[in-house]
Every structure is written in structure tokens, then in C-alpha cells.
Amino acid sequence: MTPEQLHRVIVTVADAVIDHADELTALDQAIGDGDHGLNMKRGFDAVRADAALLAAKPLPEALGAIGLQLVMKIGGASGPLYGTLLMAMGKAISPDGANIAAAFAGGVAAVKARGKSQPGQKTMLDVLVPIEAALSAGAPDLPHRLPAIAQAAAEATVPMEATRGRASFLGARSIGHMDPGACSSALITAAVCRALGD
């Protein structure tokens, strides 16, 4: 990945999260503590402000630095979880990004360990794991298919009862709402694919 491509990915992802902050907050107000959008916006505002500096780094270092920023800037569980995903990917990925599937799998495993959770519990893992599976299977048109896979996975959290995270306090009342972390994961996936496809 060239610095120009990495810069485009960083800015596109940050803009997507910032532009959808109100939507993420509304989802979190329904089943969480109502600050997912605000917290994510704060983290990605900081990432976007440093986009040029981050994009100048080799890919592994850039992912680690972005992950650290998210840990430092995003409150609640989302900062540590997204930060863990990116920092673990940064440790595993090659400078050219050719082993993205393996690096992403390592990141997802780190998120599972950090959150002590598994898919099916109405969390961001319900999007990350299907993405991991699609990346591992591979296909030339994957960047075009991943956004739909991620969106379908996020929508599949609507009928789930949360058994992990803040929404789990609501029990059956969490049914009928999309998980905010699953939604932000789908937004980020679509933004990465859009940036790489431009």
C-alpha cells in the first residue's frame, strides 16, 4: 500500500465515522450508554487530524499508531477494542499488506480475548468474524462484496439478544435494535473498501 492509498483510507474511514456519529449515538441510546457516536467521533477526529503523519509511516507502524490513538481518545469499551484490533494487525501485517487476511484474523482473535466474547453475543464481533471468513476465503471481487457482507452481518444483530457488553443489561429488551459496535464496524469496512476502490 502506498502512502497515498493509506492516506485515502485513513481520511475516508475517519469521515465515514464522523459523518455517522449521530446515527451511532442513536443506536447506542437505545441499548447502551448513548455515547458510541460521540466517542468514535472524538477518536477519529484525532486520527484524521494526524492523517498525513500516520500515512507517512510503514503500514505496520501506522496501524499500531492509529490503534493507540483510538485507545487514548475513545471512551468506553470501543476504544480498547478497536485499538486492540488495529494494534494486533499492526504487529502481524507485512509492509505491503499482502497478508491482510492473516493479520485481520490475528486482530479479531485479539478482540475476542480482550472482550472475552464470541460472535452471536450482539457485539462488533458479529461483523468482524464474517469479514475475517470472507478475507480468508479470498476472491478477486472481495472489495466489492465486503461492504454488503458487513452490512448484512450488522443487520443480523437486530434480532439478537445481547449477552455481552452494556446492552446485555437489558436482556430481551435489547432485541430489535442493531448493535452500535456492529454498525460502526460495517461503516468502517465499507469506507476501507470504498477508499481502496477509488
Side-chain angles (χ1 to χ4, degrees), residues 67-144:
L68 183 59
Q69 273 200 332
L70 297 182
V71 169
M72 300 296 289
K73 300 289 185 183
I74 299 178
S78 299
L81 292 173
Y82 275 115
T84 293
L85 175 69
L86 293 176
M87 289 191 287
M89 287 181 66
K91 290 177 182 175
I93 202 162
S94 58
D96 64 358
N99 65 336
I100 181 67
F104 191 79
V108 172
V111 170
K112 289 178 181 175
R114 166 72 87 160
K116 298 181 176 57
S117 58
Q118 296 293 325
Q121 296 180 309
K122 199 177 182 94
T123 70
M124 62 194 290
L125 282 172
D126 290 306
V127 169
L128 297 183
V129 169
I131 294 299
E132 175 191 353
L135 285 172
S136 296
D141 64 340
L142 207 48
H144 298 289

Side-chain angles (χ1 to χ4, degrees), residues 4 20 26 44-46 66 79 93 96 128-129 145 159 163 184 191-192:
E4 292 76 18
H20 289 83
F44 280 92
D45 276 340
I66 295 168
I93 202 162
D96 64 358
L128 297 183
V129 169
R145 291 193 297 113
T163 57
S184 58
V192 170

Side-chain angles (χ1 to χ4, degrees), residues 10 35 73 78 187:
I10 293 170
D35 60 2
K73 300 289 185 183
S78 299
L187 279 172

